[in-house]
Amino acid sequence: MAEFTLNGRTKVKTLKANFKKEFGASLRVYKSESCTGAFAEDDATLASLRAEGKKGGELTVGGNLRVGNFEKKIAELYGIGVQVANADDSKLADNDITLVAAGK
């Protein structure tokens, strides 16, 4: 089963690469929780992007997790926005499908 673990030491480029490898979908990582404005730099760690007041920590992401729930968990832990997109990154995935389905 497709899954991976991330934590505050995880770099944005590693997060996106692991996500693509495990689920086949693309991941867009933003500096703000609202997913507006600039994308996060690839060399930034999740801890360095973490919003004030957010606890961070470790998260294991499984393929049966729904897109919307994954995006919400990242926002809750780190205070940053992520959007799951299809494999070629041309459109955003529906929040009600699983991460594995998003990559198909």
Side-chain angles (χ1 to χ4, degrees):
M1 161 117 113
E3 75 173 31
F4 70 97
T5 301
L6 57 100
N7 60 43
R9 293 184 309 274
T10 304
K11 288 189 176 186
V12 170
K13 66 181 172 191
T14 305
L15 171 61
K16 293 194 302 192
N18 287 346
F19 194 87
K20 181 81 164 181
K21 181 178 140 218
E22 292 300 328
F23 309 124
S26 300
L27 188 64
R28 301 175 188 177
V29 182
Y30 298 85
K31 288 182 179 180
S32 70
E33 190 172 338
S34 63
C35 295
T36 57
F39 286 110
E41 293 87 20
D42 278 346
D43 283 335
T45 64
L46 295 180
S48 72
L49 296 170
R50 188 175 69 223
E52 193 172 316
K54 299 294 182 176
K55 64 180 179 167
E58 190 169 279
L59 175 66
T60 299
V61 182
N64 60 348
L65 187 63
R66 302 225 175 261
V67 168
N69 290 340
F70 169 71
E71 292 171 353
K72 193 182 332 176
K73 282 181 188 260
I74 296 292
E76 287 170 0
L77 274 177
Y78 297 103
I80 59 174
V82 296
Q83 293 275 277
V84 176
N86 61 359
D88 65 0
D89 201 11
S90 61
K91 68 177 187 140
L92 295 177
D94 187 325
N95 282 343
D96 293 327
I97 63 173
T98 65
L99 295 175
V100 169
K104 293 189 177 179

